[in-house]
Amino acid sequence: MTVVDLGLPPEARNADGSWRLFVDGAWIDCADGSRFEVHDPADGSLVATVTSGGAADVDAAVTAAWQSFEAGRWRSKSPQSRASALLRLAQQIARRSDELAAIETRCNGMPLRDAKAMVKRCVSSLEYASGFAQRAYGQSVPVANRYLDVTLREPIGVCALIVPWNGPLLSALWKLGPAIVLGNSVVLKPSELTPLTALVLAECCQEAGIPPGVVNMIAGGPATGAELVAHPLVNKIAFTGSTATGKAIMKVASEHVKRVTLELGGKAPNIFFEDGDVSDAVLGALSGLMRNTGQTCIAGARMLVQASMYDEFVERLTAAVDQLRVGPPTAESSQLGPIVSAKQLARVQSYVELAREEGAEVHGGGLLDGDGLAGGYYMRPGLITGAGNDLRVNQEEIFGPVGAVLPFSDEEEAVAIANATPYGLAAGVWTRDVKRALRVTRAVRAGTVWVNTYGWNFVEAPMGGFKESGLGRENGSAVIDAYTETKNVVIELDEDDSLDIYRLRDVR
Ligand code: NAD
């Protein structure tokens, strides 16, 4: 069944209308005929039926990737030619940007305006990554005079790219761009909730002239991902998703000492000091928490507010939250869309209930229906007050438009609360006192700290987590480390035998 037209050729579909997998430059059905459905969170309607990859299909995709790597079909091309291909891919994405944004919105409910901005970021991320091909420098290492020691950057091999549903295309391209431009071959597994932009991406790669086998796409759920992670020919796993899945992947990866980069969950503190402007603070808190309907790993879900401004902050934030416009993601006026799935909505709701059970107060946070919302997974955004930092609602990732406001007395306490979770992905600090801003920035254990702003992830800057929020970095030049091995090369320059300490030449 095909409800949404992806603009793909007829061979991208099975006879029953379901979308196929992309392996070795061809569209294929899976070995056992499995399918899964994709639904629109805005009204619950069926968007598409998609082929679900099983063990045999994962094996075919990984083998194709391995063969393309081994044959040097791609990695032995000049860096300039790989860079040019990535720029052509960026052009393909730009050309289809409206279509891609619309598909993303249909699958995950992201407001269309945000989806369009996200696709633009996809294009610039590929443009940026294209430069890595020609700038993956090695080093000349100062060693004893009779040797020349240099390092080479070499691709790792087959990279499994596993991504979630909340920013599907961007998450995929942050991995795929650097991975392939540095000469690796990849198998991409999108989330079972949002697989459709990955299908279009596969075709864009083909149109950009990237050779068969270099980019493969296998749709499916956790079982498909698990097959991919365990496949012995996979050399590296780049994963974005929950901390629980990241831990499971790390365990399996240890079997073959696979390289792993993990972008995992968060419970970011957004810290507001009393010297800041309350209006700015409220805006900073809202934009930190509510982007993508609260479904971002960097969401500022714990708003730490200095006690002297706490009451005013809560009052104004509550009023602002009440004014947020929740509605169909395609409507211009909607600031928040639906939650991605019925299951995720139930999960977020269970945390609203839990907050109450834990003795906290919850403002808003209820289910929402009404005109134009029928069948959709909508809820009012919610604010939790009166919950200590050690409660589950402040320790576990809710991943929805629900956050807690917590008071603190001084800088020391703010930092202590900020650091008291297993996560360490991101943090915000709002103050006019530059020394305090810098002290707190240093003291907070997080991969990104925003000062008097929140949420910007520049492709030029590294992104990743401390503690249980991840391992390794995406974006920035750090990403070169994530997709290359370093080879050290030692070259003898002298002709004499002075280092033949075992006199092997005499023996011979
Ligand atoms: P998830 O961990 O359930 O799934 C992520 C992906 O992994 C999906 O494609 C899924 O099919 C696959 N998967 C699930 N189990 C697997 C297994 N055992 N082996 C291999 N693959 C498996 O996460 P989700 O619900 O899709 O996404 C939300 C989570 O992602 C949140 O925790 C969020 O914080 C995190 N996230 C992190 C970042 C970041 O950059 N740190 C960015 C976006 C989302």
Side-chain angles (χ1 to χ4, degrees):
M1 181 76 176
T2 299
V3 180
V4 164
D5 182 11
L6 303 182
L8 295 177
E11 59 269 25
R13 293 176 204 181
N14 293 309
D16 62 6
S18 57
W19 296 107
R20 291 183 144 178
L21 312 172
F22 187 75
V23 173
D24 209 10
W27 297 98
I28 61 157
D29 194 358
C30 61
D32 65 4
S34 294
R35 309 280 184 256
F36 64 95
E37 291 184 346
V38 178
H39 291 267
D40 185 341
D43 58 12
S45 64
L46 181 68
V47 174
T49 305
V50 181
T51 302
S52 180
D57 315 299
V58 166
D59 183 53
V62 173
T63 304
W66 174 247
Q67 284 168 350
S68 74
F69 187 78
E70 278 293 275
R73 236 179 273 161
W74 173 245
R75 72 184 155 97
S76 57
K77 285 197 187 301
S78 72
Q80 189 185 358
S81 129
R82 277 185 269 122
S84 301
L86 213 66
L87 289 173
R88 290 196 298 276
L89 177 59
Q91 285 160 5
Q92 292 294 332
I93 302 284
R95 185 174 67 76
R96 296 170 85 156
S97 57
D98 284 348
E99 177 190 343
L100 284 162
I103 297 168
E104 211 76 297
T105 291
R106 279 299 293 277
C107 294
N108 77 356
M110 178 185 292
L112 187 58
R113 193 184 43 246
D114 299 347
K116 285 184 176 171
M118 198 190 68
V119 177
K120 273 197 182 137
R121 292 174 69 201
C122 290
V123 174
S124 46
S125 124
L126 289 172
E127 288 169 348
Y128 175 70
S130 69
F132 290 140
Q134 289 151 298
R135 259 171 257 136
Y137 298 116
Q139 288 180 321
S140 151
V141 186
V143 295
N145 266 347
R146 60 178 291 154
Y147 297 100
L148 175 63
D149 190 307
V150 292
T151 63
L152 304 176
R153 294 277 195 174
E154 296 187 356
I156 299 174
V158 177
C159 303
L161 316 178
I162 302 177
V163 295
W165 45 263
N166 61 333
L169 190 62
L170 189 60
S171 241
L173 287 176
W174 277 353
K175 296 170 177 52
L176 185 139
I180 64 171
V181 90
L182 290 164
N184 298 283
S185 294
V186 305
V187 180
L188 169 65
K189 196 207 79 66
S191 163
E192 58 279 22
L193 297 177
T194 54
L196 300 187
T197 45
L199 284 137
V200 180
L201 171 60
E203 199 200 28
C204 289
C205 289
Q206 199 171 32
E207 286 178 355
I210 295 161
V214 176
V215 174
N216 306 275
M217 194 287 303
I218 295 278
T224 312
E227 292 288 351
L228 190 52
V229 168
H231 197 292
L233 290 180
V234 167
N235 306 107
K236 192 238 154 78
I237 300 147
F239 171 77
T240 299
S242 63
T243 294
T245 307
K247 288 178 181 176
I249 286 176
M250 226 173 150
K251 271 191 195 150
V252 178
S254 71
E255 175 75 12
H256 296 282
V257 196
K258 291 176 182 169
R259 280 72 183 122
V260 175
T261 40
L262 303 171
E263 299 286 338
L264 308 176
K267 194 72 183 176
N270 202 359
I271 309 169
F272 300 93
F273 285 96
E274 62 192 1
D275 63 351
D277 180 84
V278 183
S279 305
D280 285 354
V282 167
L283 199 59
L286 269 187
S287 52
L289 175 62
M290 298 298 176
R291 192 163 118 202
N292 202 16
T293 317
Q295 301 166 114
T296 66
C297 49
I298 55 170
R302 293 180 302 140
M303 293 156 279
L304 313 188
V305 182
Q306 197 148 20
S308 55
M309 71 186 262
Y310 179 83
D311 289 341
E312 188 184 356
F313 179 95
V314 170
E315 191 182 322
R316 291 176 65 168
L317 184 64
T318 308
V321 163
D322 285 344
Q323 284 168 36
L324 287 173
R325 293 186 300 272
V326 184
T330 45
E332 258 306 301
S333 59
S334 299
Q335 293 165 313
L336 277 70
I339 301 295
V340 70
S341 66
K343 187 172 158 208
Q344 182 65 13
L345 177 62
R347 186 168 178 270
V348 178
Q349 288 293 311
S350 75
Y351 276 105
V352 171
E353 274 316 301
L354 178 66
R356 292 202 174 96
E357 281 164 24
E358 286 184 318
E361 273 180 45
V362 186
H363 180 86
L367 291 173
L368 193 60
D369 54 18
D371 278 357
L373 306 183
Y377 314 132
Y378 293 96
M379 64 175 283
R380 287 284 339 152
L383 278 186
I384 300 170
T385 51
N389 189 60
D390 54 342
L391 295 189
R392 276 183 60 199
V393 285
N394 281 324
Q395 290 293 311
E396 297 173 17
E397 193 177 39
I398 297 176
F399 222 64
V402 179
V405 192
L406 297 99
F408 67 84
S409 56
D410 57 16
E411 187 179 315
E412 196 183 344
E413 194 190 11
V415 168
I417 298 172
N419 285 338
T421 75
Y423 295 113
L425 189 62
V429 185
W430 299 75
T431 175
R432 290 187 177 136
D433 179 340
V434 69
K435 290 188 181 180
R436 174 150 67 192
L438 294 176
R439 279 195 306 269
V440 174
T441 297
R442 275 194 172 171
V444 168
R445 292 181 46 73
T448 299
V449 180
W450 289 286
V451 178
N452 296 330
T453 184
Y454 201 94
W456 294 100
N457 287 124
F458 298 108
V459 67
E460 298 87 349
M463 148 121 194
F466 283 29
K467 303 196 284 183
E468 294 190 19
S469 285
L471 191 67
R473 294 292 179 269
E474 289 197 315
N475 295 339
S477 53
V479 83
I480 295 177
D481 292 333
Y483 293 101
T484 55
E485 296 277 17
T486 299
K487 181 177 280 176
N488 191 49
V489 184
V490 185
I491 305 159
E492 165 81 56
L493 303 180
D494 279 1
E495 305 288 356
D496 69 62
D497 276 355
S498 59
L499 280 193
D500 185 13
I501 52 174
Y502 298 111
R503 302 206 179 280
L504 295 176
R505 285 192 197 195
D506 292 352
V507 174
R508 219 177 26 188

